[in-house]
Amino acid sequence: MRLGRGARITLGAITVLILGVIYLPLFVVGVNSFSTSQSLSWPPPGFTLEWWGKAFRSAGALEALLTSVQVAVVATAVALILGTLISLALQRFDFFGKNVVNLLVILPIALPGIVTGIALNNFFRTIMGVPLSIWTVVIAHGTFTIVTVFNNVIARLRRLGTSYEEASADLGAGIWTTFRLVTFPQLRSALFAGGLLAFALSFDEIIVTTFTAGQGVTTLPIFILNNMFRPNQAPIVSVIAVVLVLISIVPIYIAQRLTSEEGQKR
Amino acid sequence: MNTEVPAIRLRGLHKAFGATTAVESVDLDIAPGEFFSMLGPSGSGKTTVLRMIAGFEQPTAGTVELFGKDVTKSAPFDRDVNTVFQDYALFPHMSVLDNVAYGLRVRGISKKERHAKAREALDKVRLADFGERKPSQLSGGQRQRVALARATVVEPKVLLLDEPLGALDLKLREQMQVELKEIQRDLGITFIFVTHDQEEALTLSDRIAVFNEGKIEQLGSPSDVYDHPVSPFVASFVGTSNMFSDEISQKLLGKPGQHSIRPEKLEVAHANEKLEGDQSADGTIADVIYVGSGTRLIVDLDAGMRVTVLEQNDQSYVADDERGARVRVGWRASDVISLGGSK
């Protein structure tokens, strides 16, 4: 398709503007992590690596990082297993209430985090009588990480169709053998992409986490929020933010590469 | 017919998808070693019958017997039948060799043995050197043969083929038809072949079941079905036919009821020429279509219908067949097929 010169310039300018609004603040954070100012003043008065050194020696930050990784890994594992099972159920079998289940599975991703957070908080403490801990965070994260795996896997199952599974059954393989030898190998990249997204979502989640984390359970985003306005901590927070951005880029990039490669293969 | 136990016996087979009936009370016996075709337009129920034999669909009513054993309720992996799928369904993540060895693998046969057998099977379909490739690196015809090797390596008693040649181009299709027939003769097992291509069915089969709207419209040998169609549907679906309505039959044949006659049974003569047939009608040539081995003449009969005549291109017969020329179309009364009751 060809566009006129005027249209091209206008559209280009709008694109630059919007991307600028999204990415300039991130750039500022990156610059601040090297700034000699402690209060994020602009422009930065000087350059220093002090904060990077301090951040990597800060016990609180490292512990928070570890907590976040633990939560994200378990929430992703839960999502992979449950997300795959539910997509198989919804895509390959017929049962009563199928459409309702489908809707209920996808819904959590659209629910406001604050609603999910308050609801779960209430549910855990007053109804179940379970003390908040790292596990309550994992369960809470599971409510929306399942969706990312589910979406990826069900789309793949739909595209694969049933003929490979039928061919496998036809050649004598039972249901589990078929899953192990035929279905799973073809779901692998969808699971990887869905898992990476689940990990990224869980890793930087803050609202639901705030309401479901037990005493002393501090994930990285919560650590940042707590330290943001403390004196002398702001530049360290900037360092952590930069690290978070870098960690988040990798899985998103890989997931996108995977999905587009798959798309080209077919 | 045969006194031995049929390879496949279908009794009162019925399949409904919601409110639509796909297959209606099909009774069928298919003998061991038979090359049997199920022919019909799309939506006629032939593929659904095949899928019920394979076990992918459960019949709403009726039974499927395999060599005398009722398998109606058995899962696909518990039936001694294998399928060559329309889209081949080769596993894309496995090599060609692993694809062919798959059925042996799930039966717990050692890697060495199953690979040896798979190589043998690939050799039979002339793909011995392609074992290490992925299915995506093969052409359509090669994939077809891999699918055939994969389904036959486990030595099924019955092989089901669901429009296996549908995706191939004409040349390849004709070549594969010959190969299929040879493989079937070699293996000596029952082939059930689903197709919408009447020529394919006529060429390959020992017997043909012509499906229409979920029912078997006619069951018989290729020549039965072609030379003695029992209904207007079969007459027009299998080969081309000139259909005489009740009214036209009265005028041209002097008897009531529907009739048909094949284009190659008609001949055309100009005013001064003599016809071999004992019946004839006058008409005007509407079109002349050269089709290589023959010439197709479209003639508007004065009686009020259009017929197609197929002339072999064996004589110097060309020049004076022109649009608008007056001709006589003749045929033998014995070549006219009666399709029964007046409608």
Side-chain angles (χ1 to χ4, degrees), chain B residues 10 19 74 290 328:
Chain B
L10 308 178
S74 309
Y290 179 72
R328 269 188 309 140

Side-chain angles (χ1 to χ4, degrees), chain A residues 164 166 168 170-171 181, chain B residues 51 82-83 90 93 102 107:
Chain A
Y164 298 125
E166 283 184 351
S168 171
D170 189 68
L171 290 163
L181 296 178
Chain B
R51 289 175 59 81
N82 283 105
T83 310
L90 299 178
H93 58 292
Y102 187 82
R107 280 168 178 73

Side-chain angles (χ1 to χ4, degrees), chain A residues 160 162-175 177-178 180-183 185-186 266, chain B residues 51 54 56 76-77 81-83 85 87 89-94 102-103 105-107 150-151 154:
Chain A
L160 284 176
T162 53
S163 64
Y164 298 125
E165 285 158 15
E166 283 184 351
S168 171
D170 189 68
L171 290 163
I175 290 171
T177 313
T178 295
R180 189 165 58 87
L181 296 178
V182 174
T183 315
Q186 302 197 71
R266 272 149 224 275
Chain B
R51 289 175 59 81
F56 301 134
F77 46 83
V81 298
N82 283 105
T83 310
F85 292 85
D87 59 357
L90 299 178
F91 307 128
H93 58 292
M94 291 183 196
Y102 187 82
R105 179 176 179 187
V106 302
R107 280 168 178 73
R150 184 176 70 172
V154 290

Side-chain angles (χ1 to χ4, degrees), chain B residues 127-297:
Chain B
L127 286 175
D129 299 333
F130 292 79
E132 307 315 316
R133 296 210 192 171
K134 284 281 167 66
S136 58
Q137 295 168 296
L138 301 183
S139 71
Q142 290 167 337
R143 281 182 216 181
Q144 212 312 277
R145 301 213 294 270
V146 174
L148 202 60
R150 184 176 70 172
T152 50
V153 75
V154 290
E155 298 169 4
K157 290 176 182 159
V158 175
L159 189 70
L160 309 175
L161 302 105
D162 185 8
E163 308 234 5
L165 309 180
L168 306 180
D169 59 50
L170 182 66
K171 195 86 193 155
L172 207 51
R173 201 155 68 215
E174 285 173 350
Q175 185 191 328
M176 280 308 298
Q177 286 175 6
V178 177
E179 281 186 33
L180 267 184
K181 190 79 191 169
E182 273 171 12
I183 289 170
Q184 192 256 345
R185 247 181 250 127
D186 279 358
L187 296 173
I189 62 173
T190 311
F191 272 36
I192 302 180
F193 187 87
V194 161
T195 181
H196 63 263
D197 182 332
Q198 44 95 16
E199 204 180 309
E200 210 163 84
L202 292 173
T203 321
L204 292 170
S205 325
D206 297 320
R207 277 194 309 153
I208 299 173
V210 183
F211 278 75
N212 185 29
E213 295 178 342
K215 290 184 213 150
I216 296 180
E217 189 110 354
Q218 185 170 3
L219 177 66
S221 69
S223 61
D224 282 345
V225 172
Y226 189 81
D227 294 331
H228 308 289
V230 295
S231 68
F233 172 80
V234 176
S236 58
F237 188 76
V238 182
T240 37
S241 287
N242 295 298
M243 307 289 278
F244 294 169
S245 67
D246 193 23
E247 186 195 341
I248 299 284
S249 294
Q250 292 276 17
K251 277 195 211 166
L252 295 181
L253 310 170
K255 49 186 174 183
Q258 276 193 300
H259 294 83
S260 77
I261 186 159
R262 299 289 183 191
E264 68 271 21
K265 305 285 189 191
L266 293 177
E267 51 175 337
V268 164
H270 295 266
N272 49 354
E273 288 169 338
K274 199 178 167 317
L275 283 165
E276 285 174 33
D278 43 13
Q279 293 185 319
S280 67
D282 292 327
T284 311
I285 293 182
D287 210 348
V288 181
I289 302 160
Y290 179 72
V291 290
S293 64
T295 302
R296 204 177 288 146
L297 301 169

Side-chain angles (χ1 to χ4, degrees), chain A residues 105-165:
Chain A
V105 170
I106 302 177
L107 200 57
I109 206 138
L111 282 180
I114 189 121
V115 174
T116 312
I118 291 173
L120 283 170
N121 179 291
N122 239 317
F123 181 73
F124 286 137
R125 290 189 318 133
T126 43
I127 298 175
M128 298 284 288
V130 182
L132 298 181
S133 65
I134 193 169
W135 293 105
T136 49
V137 180
V138 167
I139 294 171
H141 283 194
T143 61
F144 53 83
T145 54
I146 288 175
V147 187
T148 65
V149 174
F150 170 79
N151 278 339
N152 271 279
V153 172
I154 203 159
R156 175 65 53 84
L157 285 174
R158 209 171 281 146
R159 203 175 57 194
L160 284 176
T162 53
S163 64
Y164 298 125
E165 285 158 15

